[in-house]
Amino acid sequence: MIYTKIKGTGSYVPKRFLTNDDLAQIVDTNDEWIRTRTGIEKRHIVTDEYTIDLAEQAALEALESSHVAKEDIDLVIVATVTPDHYFPGIAQLLQKRLGLKTVTAFDINAACSGFLYALQIADKMIKSGAFHNALIVGAETLTRLTDWSDRNTCVLFGDAAGAMVIGTSDYDSIRTVITGSDGDDNSYLICDNVDLKDPYTNEKSTQDHIHMNGREVFKFATRIMPQMVRDLLEMNKMSIDDLDYIVAHQANLRIIDKAARDLNFSMDKMYVNINEYGNTSAASVPLAIDEAIRKGHLKRGDQFVTVAFGGGFTWGGALITY
Ligand code: ACO
């Protein structure tokens, strides 16, 4: 039986940030509304950096903390809905920048659950025996898709990257990963690709922005997050009291709070950094895990669950003995 574990983590956010008061200069909103409805106080945004730049910084930090040599990384997966190109993927650009040699490298899109999907894939590819050490990254520049005149969405998102090196282990650390999806044919959470083109007129392509039905997404999120935690606990014959921490996707503090109350789990043990960064999509979970480790909240031997949900709809969770 091959086991896997987290060998190192890293994260990066751009320097520039917008406070709620800054946003109130741009759209009809205010600090009080944003803080009480979402928990967000500021969000970091890119001005002269791209998704690959954020991914590179987070990956360098994860590699350094993992003590895994570059030549021993044989798999790179990047979860993103904001790649810099249709092709090549961020994973290939990252391979080049980091000077990684023989690797299998690819991007995936599962919206805000993307990092959990990357973890699922990398974990199973290593457990199959075909790969040994994977660099997995969630990197987003979601503010490129933000409509800065839509107060329903523009207050929510920020830019960031988080990374993790996982590899073979002598104990069962990444114990269970679950993922799921349910086609959102109501377009509750959607950002369109460029439209089809008439070759005779060849009009210029225009980029769509994020559209969201907040209430429907809220309902879905508050149902799926506690359900995933319960499923993971049941699969491992554990109870909620066995968990030291829950690191949830940072989409809305009220969603995290409701999940904690449903699970009868202390909010003190739910990791929260949404106030600092807003919703950073696929970067949210690895950024939060990296911070929780670096700040000493998550320690070796701790049992924690991480869960995410996102557009698609998609969801994913993992139970890990760190
Ligand atoms: N500032 C001030 N007022 C606002 C703002 C704003 N930024 N945004 C909306 N409002 C107004 C609305 O217009 C509405 O006014 P009205 O009553 O006059 O019509 C009022 O506030 C209430 O709006 P609601 O949408 O009911 O507010 P709600 O309490 O549901 O909060 C929110 C909205 C924060 C979006 C919430 O529904 C939510 O967090 N949903 C989940 C979103 C989410 O998790 N998205 C990420 C998914 S992950 C991914 O894949 C990207």
Side-chain angles (χ1 to χ4, degrees), residues 187-242:
S187 302
Y188 288 141
L189 195 45
I190 190 166
C191 181
D192 275 332
N193 202 336
V194 293
D195 211 348
L196 308 179
K197 277 180 157 187
D198 177 347
Y200 291 97
T201 55
N202 191 29
E203 281 172 64
K204 201 168 186 302
S205 305
T206 51
Q207 175 64 57
D208 192 31
H209 53 80
I210 299 165
H211 306 272
M212 183 180 72
N213 181 327
R215 277 180 206 178
E216 290 300 330
V217 178
F218 195 95
K219 275 198 272 179
F220 163 70
T222 49
R223 178 177 59 79
I224 203 73
M225 292 227 302
Q227 187 185 314
M228 271 191 287
V229 176
R230 286 194 189 97
D231 289 351
L232 284 162
L233 290 172
E234 198 181 306
M235 290 161 91
N236 287 277
K237 298 186 174 34
M238 285 168 61
S239 88
I240 193 79
D241 300 327
D242 297 323

Side-chain angles (χ1 to χ4, degrees), residues 49 91 142 284:
E49 290 170 298
L142 217 61
S284 157

Side-chain angles (χ1 to χ4, degrees), residues 54-67:
L54 311 191
E56 182 186 8
Q57 295 307 318
L60 281 169
E61 215 177 71
L63 279 170
E64 193 188 341
S65 75
S66 73
H67 303 292

Side-chain angles (χ1 to χ4, degrees), residues 27-30 33-34 37-38 110-113 142 151-153 155-157 189 210 212-218 221 249 251-252 254-255 279 281 309-312:
V27 278
D28 181 14
T29 189
N30 57 75
W33 192 96
I34 303 172
R37 299 292 178 116
T38 70
C112 299
S113 317
L142 217 61
R151 69 177 184 175
N152 291 298
T153 54
V155 302
L156 302 174
F157 301 108
L189 195 45
I210 299 165
M212 183 180 72
N213 181 327
R215 277 180 206 178
E216 290 300 330
V217 178
F218 195 95
H249 171 45
N252 185 322
R254 287 191 295 143
I255 294 175
N279 178 349
S281 186
F309 65 91

